[in-house]
Amino acid sequence: MTYSIVARCEVTGQLGVATATSDVAVGARVPWLRTGVGAVVTQHRTDPRLGPRLLDLMARGATAAEAVDGVRHSSVHADWRQLAAIGTRGPGIGWTGAHVDPAGVSVVTAADHVVAGNILVGDVVGRAASTAFDGSAGLELGERLMRALEAGLAAGGEPDPLRSACLRVHGSEQFPLVDLRVDEHPEPLRELRRLWELYGPAAGEYVSRAIDPDAARGVAPGAEEADV
């Protein structure tokens, strides 16, 4: 019941994940990122333990493909899972277990991103999301991820209405550059778009407040006067 995109910006080196589902609180269970390591998702009868395991393997030098291969072969219930990963170098990888209904699966891999989904209306969802990501080259990674999710929904998305969505981007710091979630909402992508358009212009300012508060402006673009 989920479709996601994991991606890397070849210009800035940023890593990101965007995901949406007809279940609740997708951002708490599916996406995992680690600065300087990679971005991964673990979905379909989701096991959140697999996200850190994938990133640990990648941190030790495994490629995205090697990490996914290692985790699926060492997990008892791997056939119920769908995994996708991308590192700081090399292509991404998507993998779907044998117990996942193939009729609703969509996995599209590229040099700088992977789209993976299950229980969808068809493969057209993943292809539309990937095309939107490719077609927005030159924009911020967060914007490209949002466009991918929106294109997937426009192509049919899931049979059931979406209920939650999230957008995460890591830059050069160990904390997220962007971490936005929408839970139990009638139109989660519309709301996530609203939040992104509010937060995106301010993201760099919030990083400045953390690493160099003396140089920070104190007011983020579009924000009220507050040192949050």
Side-chain angles (χ1 to χ4, degrees):
M1 300 183 292
T2 305
Y3 69 103
S4 306
I5 177 169
V6 299
R8 176 183 64 237
C9 177
E10 302 290 16
V11 176
T12 65
Q14 292 176 356
L15 297 163
V17 177
T19 183
T21 187
S22 54
D23 207 342
V24 68
V26 68
R29 294 172 286 118
V30 167
W32 300 84
L33 294 96
R34 193 175 300 172
T35 299
V37 176
V40 307
V41 293
T42 166
Q43 53 196 41
H44 192 275
R45 303 206 180 178
T46 306
D47 182 353
R49 297 172 296 180
L50 303 186
R53 285 174 59 185
L54 286 165
L55 292 171
D56 285 345
L57 288 171
M58 294 166 71
R60 296 182 192 125
T63 64
E66 290 168 342
V68 167
D69 198 49
V71 165
R72 73 183 185 89
H73 280 111
S74 62
S75 300
V76 176
H77 304 293
D79 281 341
W80 285 109
R81 319 302 186 191
Q82 186 177 56
L83 306 172
I86 195 165
T88 57
R89 300 181 299 278
I93 181 73
W95 176 82
T96 305
H99 293 342
V100 183
D101 183 358
V105 165
S106 182
V107 175
V108 181
T109 59
D112 59 355
H113 70 277
V114 181
V115 180
N118 58 82
I119 317 183
L120 305 176
V121 299
D123 187 51
V124 64
V125 176
R127 289 188 281 111
S130 178
T131 297
F133 187 84
D134 282 336
S136 56
L139 300 180
E140 290 184 65
L141 182 59
E143 177 63 24
R144 299 180 72 191
L145 292 169
M146 280 298 313
R147 292 191 183 196
L149 282 191
E150 291 165 343
L153 179 61
E158 306 177 28
D160 295 326
L162 297 179
R163 294 171 63 192
S164 65
C166 83
L167 171 67
R168 291 191 196 173
V169 177
H170 276 227
S172 58
E173 304 301 324
Q174 292 304 309
F175 56 86
L177 176 67
V178 178
D179 188 352
L180 303 175
R181 302 184 189 183
V182 177
D183 291 322
E184 196 55 28
H185 193 282
E187 294 186 273
L189 285 194
R190 185 186 295 270
E191 178 64 6
L192 189 63
R193 163 61 69 181
R194 186 184 72 84
L195 294 176
W196 162 243
E197 291 184 353
L198 284 173
Y199 193 88
E205 169 63 14
Y206 293 128
V207 173
S208 295
R209 293 182 186 186
I211 64 176
D212 190 4
D214 291 330
R217 290 195 305 269
V219 180
E224 299 295 330
E225 181 80 42
D227 286 322
V228 177

